[in-house]
């Protein structure tokens, strides 16, 4: 306390001496009171020695730009100065010497602004700017209202928190108020928001972006007629936007982006003298489209209408905006050709028409614009070649044509643009050789997923500024190695997977390093060994070496990759799990290798595993207990090994577990009841084991379960009645085939299958089960199952949500088929074959309007085939053979496509396609097969399970072509068409996923 008093007295004496000297020189200097307050304020803060800006917010690029030149302005504030009015950031009144302006923006200040801060003693202060500093956990103090003369207040992007005090609305002299933030940690009540407009009648500038307001704008709000600049972006505003906002006479900038506002733009003609130059309404709900009246805003420079649900072609008025510099219409439903009418936009610097439905050629007039810096046309359906020559684009920095259908060769001018930093051409149809690079400004180059051929040009080595290089999924040729990229010291992201290139260890040496590399994908690059340069890649986070020819074990140095989080070595010949850095790993995919022996004990050391895929190897012994007590594991896939013993009954902290795949092992014993603790479980695949148990009815408590596969085990006995009101509400695949279940069909369980009732199958685009996003690289993981027909298997890596399947075949069920089975009207495949079912085929099955495969063969069903089944127009496969059915076969366009095999073994059936006509005596009976013949010589269609229907697409069997013929002839079923599209798309799926993953990751990492 005494020391503080001594310092204060010394400051007063010093400042008094300054005033005496000031008087002697005959002009006023800042008062001792103000100087003391400023120095005390300085001592309450510290200077940060690290960047204070965040890059996670896409609407504040100007802020981020200025952050690079931050200067600690307070360093000039000290006792050696004779005049505090000369201090950096301080402005004084020329007559009185009072401090009237304080600009400490971008000053690397860090600390807390206290309610009793000396800052609030500057009673003559008119302008205060503390923007872009770090006052983390500070609230805006109510004491700020003591600065009654303030006209300009800027506290933007200071990491402030808490509620904005209502008292700010009493600072009636404010002309400019900026409280924008980096995130929504600052809140303003609806009352406070209204009071700002009600009381601050002199306001000309108001910016509250990223302030959480979460209220409606009152329709009778009284905006200040002086308003020139209004930014309410990302403030969680709701409801209708008052049209009076468009009538403000002096408004130059209006930004309401990223809210939930319902906006109806006025139809009246804006005055040609209207001041509006910037209009950003992006990511709101605009109704009624864009009126032509906007075309009268001749001075408009910035127009942002991204994500506004706009439809149709680009509005005509746009082409009249000759002063436009920024035009963004991204993320809408705009369609048609992009008019080749950009020659009028000579001032255009940024253009975003991405994520729409545009078709037709690339507009050639774009390449003649001389001021264009950013061009985004990605995610459309543009086609044809690019212009052969270009006379402009000398200032182009970003060019993004990702995911179109452009073809032809990549024009040489594109790789010669002197300012180009970012070039996305991935997922198009470009072909031919890659031209030479005549610029070294490129930082990001994505030409993946095209049809480029030939060797990589030698000039690629000259791109020394590259940070991201994607060449995957092409038809390139030649060998490359780390030496090719050794000049790129900033290279962090390298994807050569499926590029056609071969990676040669001969083209690198032990001293070659890529010091910034964090992502490396070399899938299908013909590697035979681990690249040596990885020894020094300590920053590596993601490594994909899948589909290569790597044999043996991981090298010992591999365990030293201490940053590695995601590792894919699937489809190689790895024999051991030794030397993996389990402690840092989040995703491990080693399926389809030659792994053998037990799982290593190191796997049980503390780790953060999300995904563990070790399927289709030769692992043996029992499953370690630690895998079932992990609190982070979401996917556990150990299918297709030789694991044995019981499944441990220790599922305790498994609340995150979504997928358990243990099929095709030698597991025994019952299903552990502790599985009920895995409340997030969506897929449980225990098929093809030796599990001996009754049906685990307690699994009905897993409300998220979508797939339950218990086929080919030793389950037995009747299925007991459900204990819950709604069992298995989300189940879509239910496979109990090839077991020894007895008793009647589980009626109450079947009634609970709500996901198989009234499901919307007409959504835009396919949806898949378990589309997880994991890891730092927003990687997709889809639930998968192995499907079997006779002795052939295919693994489907993605399961469409419309796969609704019940397979209870090859059991000992008896009794009648429940009449309510028709309520499962979204069911696609039903297989009840090879049981002891009796009674009639339920007439209610006519309601199963999406049914595409029905197999009731080898039962004891009696009666007629219901004529009502003729209404099942999607039915492609029908097998009713070997029952006791009688009477005529229904007549319909659909039933007329089914062959004789569908009805064999029913001697009293008649009508097409059988030779036995109705009303005539049979000349001979149809022979009944013996038991052995039933098992070994059953017709092809009697083996028709839901697996075989799917397999028809996955392998080169005649059956697959038969189904394709049916699709061609009858233009149905939709489900088969969707599935075929899924499978044919699978070859490009992985590569497209890598490119999209890169784009998503760039947005999170920048």
């Amino acid at each position: 306390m005494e020391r503080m008093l001594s310092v204060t007295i010394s400051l007063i004496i010093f400042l008094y001496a300054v005033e005496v000297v000031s008087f002697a020189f005959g002009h006023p200097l800042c008062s001792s009171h103000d100087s003391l307050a400023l120095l005390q304020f300085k001592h309450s803060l510290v200077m940060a020695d690290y960047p204070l800006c965040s890059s996670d917010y896409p609407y504040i690029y100007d802020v981020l730009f200025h952050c690079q030149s931050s200067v600690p302005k307070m360093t000039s504030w000290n006792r050696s100065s004779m005049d505090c009015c000369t201090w950096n950031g301080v402005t004084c009144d020329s007559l009185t010497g009072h401090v009237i302006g304080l600009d400490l923006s971008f000053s690397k200040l860090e600390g807390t602004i206290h309610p009793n801060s000396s800052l609030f003693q500057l009673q003559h202060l008119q302008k205060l700017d503390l923007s872009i500093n770090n006052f983390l956990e500070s609230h805006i103090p109510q004491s700020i209202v003591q600065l009654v003369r303030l006209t300009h207040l800027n506290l933007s992007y200071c990491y402030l928190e808490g509620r904005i005090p209502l008292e700010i609305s009493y600072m009636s002299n404010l002309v400019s108020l900026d409280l924008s933030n980096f995130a929504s940690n600052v809140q303003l009540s609806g009352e406070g928001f209204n009071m700002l407009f009600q009381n601050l009648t002199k306001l000309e500038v108001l910016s509250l972006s990223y302030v959480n307001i979460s209220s409606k704008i009152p329709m009778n709000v009284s905006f200040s007629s002086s308003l020139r600049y209004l930014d309410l972006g990302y403030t969680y505003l709701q409801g209708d936007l008052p049209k009076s906002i468009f009538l403000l006479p002096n408004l130059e900038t209006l930004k309401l982006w990223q809210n939930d506002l319902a906006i109806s733009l006025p139809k009246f003609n804006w005055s040609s003298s209207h001041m509006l130059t910037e209009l950003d309404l992006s990511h709101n709900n605009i109704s009624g489209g864009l009126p032509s009246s906007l075309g009268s805003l001749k001075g408009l420079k910035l127009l942002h209408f991204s994500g506004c649900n706009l439809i149709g072609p680009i509005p005509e008025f746009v082409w009249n905006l000759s002063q436009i510099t920024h035009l963004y219409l991204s993320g809408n439903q705009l369609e048609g050709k992009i008019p080749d009418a950009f020659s009028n936009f000579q001032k255009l610097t940024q253009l975003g028409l991405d994520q729409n439905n545009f078709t037709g050629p690339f507009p050639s007039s774009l390449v003649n614009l001389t001021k264009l810096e950013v061009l985004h046309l990605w995610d459309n359906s543009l086609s044809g070649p690019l212009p052969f020559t270009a006379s402009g684009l000398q200032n182009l920095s970003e060019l993004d044509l990702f995911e179109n259908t452009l073809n032809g060769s990549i024009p040489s001018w594109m790789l010669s643009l002197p300012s180009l930093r970012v070039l996305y051409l991935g997922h198009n149809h470009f072909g031919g050789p890659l031209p030479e690079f005549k610029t070294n400004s490129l930082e990001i180059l994505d030409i993946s997923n095209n049809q480029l051929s030939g060797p990589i040009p030698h000039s690629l080595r000259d791109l020394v500024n590259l940070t991201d290089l994607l060449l995957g999924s092409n038809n390139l040729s030649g060998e490359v190695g780390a030496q090719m990229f050794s000049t790129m010291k900033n290279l962090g992201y390298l994807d050569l997977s499926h590029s056609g290139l071969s990676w040669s260890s001969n083209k690198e040496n032990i001293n070659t390093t890529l010091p910034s590399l964090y992502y490396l994908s070399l899938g299908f690059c013909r590697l035979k060994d681990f690249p040596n340069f990885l020894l020094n890649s300590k920053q590596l986070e993601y490594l994909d070496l899948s589909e290569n020819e790597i044999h043996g074990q991981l090298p010992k140095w591999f365990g030293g990759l201490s940053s590695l989080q995601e590792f894919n070595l699937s489809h190689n010949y790895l024999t051991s799990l030794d030397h993996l850095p389990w402690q840092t790993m989040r995703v491990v995919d080693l399926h389809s290798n030659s792994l053998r022996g037990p799982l290593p004990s190191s796997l049980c050391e503390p780790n953060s595993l999300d995904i563990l895929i070790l399927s289709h190897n030769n692992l043996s012994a029992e499953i370690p207990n630690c895998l079932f007590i992990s609190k982070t594991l979401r996917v556990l896939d150990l299918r297709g090994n030789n694991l044995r013993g019981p499944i441990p009954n220790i599922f305790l902290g498994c609340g995150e577990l979504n997928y358990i795949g243990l099929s095709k092992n030698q597991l025994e014993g019952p299903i552990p009841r502790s599985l009920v603790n895995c409340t997030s479980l969506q897929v449980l695949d225990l098929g093809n084991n030796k599990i001996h148990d009754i049906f685990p009815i307690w699994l009905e408590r897993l409300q998220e379960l979508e797939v339950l596969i218990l086929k080919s085990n030793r389950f037995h006995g009747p299925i007991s009645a459900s204990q819950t009101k709604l069992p298995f509400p989300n189940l879509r695949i239910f496979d109990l085939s090839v077991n020894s279940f007895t008793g009647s069909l589980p009626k109450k369980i079947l009634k609970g299958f709500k996901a198989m009732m009234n499901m919307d199958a007409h959504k835009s685009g396919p949806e898949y089960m378990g589309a997880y996003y994991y890891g730092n690289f927003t990687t997709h993981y889809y639930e998968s199952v192995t499907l079997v027909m006779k002795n052939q298997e295919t693994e489907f890596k993605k399961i469409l949500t419309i796969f609704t399947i019940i397979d209870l075949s090859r059991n000992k069920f008896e009794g009648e088929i429940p009449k309510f089975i028709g309520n499962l009207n979204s069911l696609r495949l039903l297989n009840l074959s090879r049981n002891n079912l009796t009674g009639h085929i339920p007439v209610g099955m006519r309601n199963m309007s999406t049914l595409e495969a029905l197999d009731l063969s080898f039962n004891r069903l009696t009666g007629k085939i219901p004529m009502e089944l003729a209404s099942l127009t999607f039915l492609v496969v029908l097998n009713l053979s070997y029952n006791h059915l009688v009477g005529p076969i229904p007549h319909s366009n659909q039933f007329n496509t089914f062959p004789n095999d569908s009805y064999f073994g029913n001697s009293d059936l008649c009508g097409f396609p059988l030779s036995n006509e109705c009303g005539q005596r049979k000349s001979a009976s149809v022979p009944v097969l013996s038991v052995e013949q039933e098992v070994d010589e059953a017709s092809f269609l009697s083996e028709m399970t839901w697996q075989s229907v799917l397999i028809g697409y996955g392998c080169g069997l005649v059956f697959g072509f038969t189904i394709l013929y049916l699709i061609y002839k009858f233009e149905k079923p939709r489900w088969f068409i969707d599935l075929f599209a899924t499978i044919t798309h699978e070859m490009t799926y992985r590569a497209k996923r890598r490119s999209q993953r890169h784009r998503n990751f760039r947005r999170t990492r920048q």
Side-chain angles (χ1 to χ4, degrees):
M1 186 66 181
E2 292 180 1
R3 185 174 181 276
M4 189 66 179
L5 181 61
S6 174
V7 170
T8 303
I9 293 173
S10 299
L11 281 173
I12 293 172
I13 295 173
F14 165 73
L15 295 169
Y16 176 75
V18 169
E19 286 196 35
V20 171
V21 173
S22 166
F23 178 80
F25 280 93
H27 59 84
L29 304 179
C30 62
S31 68
S32 58
H33 174 273
D34 288 356
S35 298
L36 177 60
L38 289 172
L39 287 174
Q40 287 180 340
F41 182 59
K42 174 185 177 180
H43 292 313
S44 69
L45 303 171
V46 296
M47 306 299 165
D49 57 357
Y50 53 86
L52 295 180
C53 291
S54 170
S55 61
D56 295 335
Y57 306 97
Y59 288 91
I60 53 174
Y61 292 128
D62 53 339
V63 172
L64 300 178
F65 175 78
H66 289 293
C67 276
Q68 308 305 318
S69 56
S70 297
V71 175
K73 298 175 183 177
M74 280 187 172
T75 54
S76 65
W77 296 13
N78 54 66
R79 298 184 185 185
S80 62
S81 172
M82 297 293 292
D83 184 1
C84 70
C85 292
T86 64
W87 292 351
N88 198 356
V90 178
T91 302
C92 294
D93 186 283
S94 60
L95 296 176
T96 65
H98 291 301
V99 175
I100 60 173
L102 186 59
D103 181 1
L104 296 177
S105 59
F106 304 97
S107 294
K108 296 189 176 182
L109 299 180
E110 187 176 33
T112 302
I113 301 178
H114 297 284
N116 60 351
S117 172
S118 62
L119 175 66
F120 305 127
Q121 298 174 18
L122 301 174
Q123 296 297 315
H124 298 85
L125 198 61
Q126 298 174 20
K127 295 183 179 182
L128 175 61
D129 189 348
L130 299 178
S131 60
I132 319 299
N133 287 292
N134 186 5
F135 304 128
L136 191 62
E137 299 183 358
S138 289
H139 293 183
I140 301 176
Q142 294 181 4
S143 320
I144 200 168
V145 299
Q146 297 174 21
L147 304 176
V148 294
R149 290 183 172 86
L150 267 188
T151 60
H152 294 72
L153 175 60
N154 190 344
L155 300 179
S156 61
Y157 307 113
C158 288
Y159 298 95
L160 294 167
E161 298 182 0
R163 284 193 173 274
I164 297 173
L166 292 176
E167 287 77 6
I168 278 188
S169 64
Y170 300 136
M171 302 176 72
S172 57
N173 288 317
L174 280 177
V175 173
S176 176
L177 176 61
D178 190 347
L179 302 179
S180 305
N181 203 7
F182 275 123
S184 300
N185 296 329
V186 175
Q187 300 89 38
L188 177 62
S189 66
E191 179 187 5
F193 180 60
N194 296 337
M195 289 175 63
L196 284 180
F197 292 109
Q198 180 179 338
N199 297 336
L200 304 184
T201 57
K202 297 180 182 180
L203 266 184
E204 296 179 12
V205 175
L206 178 61
S207 183
L208 299 176
S209 58
Y210 289 104
V211 172
N212 189 347
I213 299 175
S214 296
S215 72
K216 297 181 178 180
I217 303 177
M219 296 305 289
N220 61 349
V221 65
S222 178
F223 295 107
S224 168
S225 61
S226 302
L227 267 178
R228 295 183 294 104
Y229 184 101
L230 179 60
D231 185 353
L232 300 177
Y234 220 132
T235 52
Y236 300 94
L237 289 172
Q238 311 157 13
D240 295 330
L241 178 68
K243 288 188 178 181
S244 58
I245 200 169
F246 298 109
L247 301 176
L248 296 174
N250 297 300
L251 194 63
E252 299 174 4
T253 297
L254 177 60
K255 297 183 177 182
L256 301 174
W257 46 272
Q258 203 79 39
N259 282 292
D260 192 19
L261 292 168
I263 301 175
S264 178
L265 292 166
K267 307 297 183 184
F268 57 79
N269 284 327
W270 303 69
S271 170
S272 59
S273 61
H274 200 284
M275 307 287 290
L276 199 62
T277 60
E278 297 184 335
L279 182 58
D280 187 350
L281 304 181
S282 54
H283 301 287
N284 283 286
N285 302 309
I286 292 183
S287 60
L290 302 182
S292 58
S293 58
L294 283 172
S296 61
L297 297 174
K298 302 298 184 181
L300 205 59
K301 295 181 179 179
L302 181 147
L303 184 64
H304 282 210
F305 282 152
S306 298
C308 289
N309 303 316
L310 303 177
I311 60 175
I314 297 176
E316 286 294 328
F317 76 82
V318 169
W319 310 111
N320 297 326
L321 304 176
S322 59
Q323 302 301 309
I324 201 79
T325 61
H326 294 67
L327 176 60
Y328 281 90
L329 301 174
S330 311
N332 287 291
Q333 301 295 321
L334 297 173
E335 59 189 9
K337 293 182 179 180
I338 301 175
D340 196 8
F342 291 93
S343 56
N344 193 37
F345 288 178
Q346 293 304 311
K347 296 183 179 181
L348 190 65
T349 59
Q350 296 188 19
L351 176 63
L353 300 177
D354 50 279
Q355 301 173 87
N356 281 289
N357 300 317
F358 291 122
T359 57
F362 177 94
S364 58
S365 56
L366 282 172
V367 301
N368 298 322
L369 298 180
T370 57
K371 294 187 178 181
L372 195 62
E373 298 174 3
V374 175
L375 177 56
H376 289 173
L377 299 177
W378 58 279
D379 195 10
N380 280 289
S381 298
L382 300 179
S383 58
L386 294 173
F388 185 70
T389 59
S391 61
L393 304 183
Q394 299 306 302
N395 292 304
L396 193 66
S397 174
E398 294 184 22
L399 176 57
D400 194 341
L401 303 178
F402 181 85
E403 202 162 6
N404 281 281
T405 56
L406 297 166
N407 57 30
S409 59
I410 297 175
S412 59
W413 59 261
M414 188 172 287
L415 305 184
S416 304
L417 298 175
S419 303
L420 194 62
R421 296 186 305 103
V422 177
L423 178 59
Y424 282 108
L425 300 178
H427 289 273
N428 279 282
H429 299 156
F430 292 117
L434 192 60
E436 292 288 343
F437 295 90
K438 297 180 181 179
T439 177
N440 63 358
S441 59
L442 275 172
E443 297 175 11
I444 298 176
L445 174 62
D446 180 2
I447 53 176
S448 63
N449 289 270
N450 280 287
Q451 298 160 16
L452 298 169
S453 59
I456 293 179
H458 291 290
S459 53
L460 182 70
R461 300 171 183 266
D462 299 331
L463 303 182
V464 295
N465 296 308
L466 271 185
T467 61
D468 302 67
L469 177 60
L470 292 84
L471 304 178
S473 298
N474 276 291
N475 300 317
L476 300 170
S477 58
E479 291 187 345
V480 296
Q483 196 68 33
M484 164 74 75
F485 311 101
S486 60
T487 59
M488 306 171 187
K489 300 303 181 184
N490 297 319
L491 188 63
Y493 194 109
L494 178 59
D495 181 3
L496 304 181
S497 291
H498 296 268
S499 62
L501 297 170
S502 298
W503 186 275
S504 174
S505 298
N506 297 328
K507 294 185 178 293
E508 60 182 77
N509 57 59
I510 196 66
N511 298 318
T512 302
T513 61
L514 299 177
S516 301
L517 195 66
Y518 62 86
Y519 182 105
L520 177 63
S521 185
L522 299 178
F524 201 70
C525 284
R526 302 176 185 84
L527 277 83
K528 299 185 182 299
D529 301 295
F530 288 92
N532 292 325
F533 80 96
L534 291 179
L535 173 63
N536 300 311
S537 299
K538 303 302 182 183
Q539 306 299 318
L540 196 64
E541 300 176 26
Y542 180 99
L543 178 60
D544 180 1
L545 301 178
S546 61
E547 298 179 88
N548 281 292
E549 302 170 19
I550 298 174
H551 290 71
Q553 300 185 2
L554 296 169
K556 291 183 178 180
W557 54 258
F558 199 88
L561 298 179
S562 56
S563 298
L564 192 62
Q565 297 182 34
E566 303 182 31
F567 180 42
N568 186 352
L569 194 70
S570 60
H571 293 283
N572 277 279
Y573 301 94
L574 192 69
T575 57
S576 170
L577 289 170
D578 292 340
H579 311 308
L580 269 173
W582 293 106
Q583 293 78 7
T584 64
M585 304 292 283
R586 296 187 61 186
V587 178
V588 176
D589 185 354
L590 301 177
H591 79 271
S592 304
N593 273 278
S594 302
L595 298 173
R596 56 179 181 265
L599 290 167
S601 58
S602 56
L603 184 57
C604 292
E605 296 175 2
N607 59 59
S608 300
L609 272 176
D610 280 345
I611 312 289
L612 180 61
I613 305 174
L614 301 176
S615 57
H616 307 300
N617 280 283
N618 196 26
L619 296 169
S620 57
E622 297 186 359
I623 304 173
N625 291 352
C626 64
L627 289 181
F628 302 108
I629 59 175
S630 170
K631 294 183 178 180
T632 61
L633 199 63
R634 286 194 285 170
V635 172
L636 176 63
D637 189 352
L638 301 176
R639 295 171 299 156
N641 282 284
N642 287 313
L643 299 169
R644 60 179 184 271
I647 303 172
N649 190 21
I650 53 170
F651 290 89
L652 299 176
C654 59
E656 297 295 319
L657 201 57
N658 300 126
Y659 178 101
I660 298 177
L662 301 177
S663 63
K664 204 176 180 185
N665 280 285
Q666 304 295 322
L667 299 174
E668 302 172 338
I671 299 178
R673 293 186 69 93
S674 58
L675 259 176
V676 77
N677 296 316
C678 304
T679 53
S680 298
L681 195 64
Q682 294 178 340
V683 174
L684 178 61
D685 183 358
L686 303 179
N688 297 90
N689 278 286
K690 300 178 180 178
I691 297 173
H692 189 271
D693 201 352
I694 60 174
F695 181 77
I697 188 62
W698 44 267
L699 285 176
E700 67 184 353
R701 292 162 59 185
L702 299 179
Q703 295 289 294
E704 301 299 320
L705 197 64
E706 297 184 29
V707 177
L708 177 60
I709 300 177
L710 303 179
K711 65 180 180 181
S712 300
N713 275 284
R714 298 174 181 176
F715 289 96
H716 58 88
I719 297 179
S720 58
S722 170
Q723 302 300 312
T724 63
K725 183 177 180 181
L726 193 64
F728 302 107
N730 287 302
L731 206 64
R732 302 176 189 275
I733 295 179
F734 185 51
D735 187 352
L736 305 183
S737 60
V738 196
N739 279 288
S740 298
F741 288 112
T742 59
S744 60
L745 295 175
K747 297 180 181 179
K748 190 171 181 181
I749 290 178
L750 294 175
K751 282 184 177 180
F753 291 171
K754 298 300 180 183
M756 302 185 191
M757 303 178 188
N758 303 315
M759 185 174 62
D760 184 7
H762 305 290
K763 298 178 180 179
S764 59
E767 294 184 8
Y768 301 95
M769 297 184 193
Y772 312 128
Y773 296 86
Y774 63 85
N776 287 343
F777 302 92
T778 58
T779 304
H780 298 72
Y781 177 81
Y782 292 97
E783 294 168 349
S784 59
V785 291
T786 300
L787 312 178
V788 181
M789 184 186 74
K790 293 188 175 179
N791 294 321
Q792 299 192 33
E793 296 181 346
T794 293
E795 179 182 358
F796 285 81
K797 301 184 183 301
K798 296 190 289 184
I799 311 172
L800 282 165
T801 54
I802 61 171
F803 285 5
T804 45
I805 298 162
I806 295 177
D807 190 346
L808 305 180
S809 62
R810 293 177 180 269
N811 280 283
K812 299 177 182 178
F813 290 115
E814 55 191 25
E816 296 186 352
I817 301 174
K819 294 181 180 179
F820 67 81
I821 196 78
N823 294 338
L824 303 179
N825 57 2
S826 294
L827 193 64
R828 301 283 168 164
L829 294 98
L830 176 62
N831 190 347
L832 302 178
S833 65
R834 295 182 182 274
N835 282 286
N836 295 311
L837 300 176
T838 57
H840 294 185
I841 298 175
V843 175
M845 280 189 169
R846 66 184 176 186
N847 298 322
M848 304 174 78
S849 56
T850 63
L851 195 66
E852 299 174 15
L854 174 62
D855 191 346
L856 303 178
S857 62
F858 291 96
N859 279 287
R860 300 179 182 179
L861 299 173
T862 58
K864 296 181 179 181
I865 302 174
M867 291 297 174
E868 291 82 356
L869 296 189
S871 64
L872 299 181
T873 55
F874 284 97
L875 196 63
V876 174
V877 176
L878 175 68
N879 193 352
L880 303 178
S881 60
Y882 299 101
N883 280 283
H884 303 294
L885 300 172
V886 300
I889 295 172
H891 241 332
S892 72
N893 289 339
Q894 202 64 28
F895 265 76
N896 291 347
T897 65
F898 301 135
N900 292 9
D901 299 29
S902 298
Y903 310 105
F904 276 178
N906 294 282
S907 58
D908 292 322
L909 279 177
C910 62
F912 185 84
L914 300 178
S915 58
N916 182 29
E917 295 183 8
C918 296
Q920 296 183 2
R921 293 179 59 86
K922 294 175 296 181
S923 58
S925 61
V926 179
V928 178
L929 299 181
S930 67
V931 173
E932 290 78 7
Q933 286 174 317
E934 287 187 8
V935 174
D936 298 329
E937 300 178 14
S939 68
F940 179 73
L941 285 177
S942 70
E943 294 285 325
M944 177 55 226
T945 64
W946 63 271
Q947 295 100 327
S948 62
V949 171
L950 299 178
I951 284 297
Y953 283 98
C955 59
L957 298 178
V958 174
F959 179 75
F961 291 103
T962 302
I963 297 298
L964 289 177
Y965 169 75
L966 292 175
I967 291 174
Y968 170 77
K969 182 173 181 179
F970 298 105
E971 300 182 351
K972 59 188 73 161
R974 294 176 186 169
W975 175 78
F976 280 108
I977 297 171
D978 290 340
L979 178 59
F980 183 70
T982 298
I983 296 173
T984 55
H985 186 66
E986 187 66 31
M987 294 182 66
T988 59
Y989 160 68
R990 288 188 181 182
K992 181 172 182 178
R993 181 180 64 182
R994 284 193 299 271
S995 292
Q996 191 63 52
R997 178 171 57 208
H998 167 259
R999 295 170 64 83
N1000 292 337
F1001 182 69
R1002 289 297 306 178
R1003 296 190 180 99
T1004 59
R1005 191 178 181 92
Q1006 286 177 343

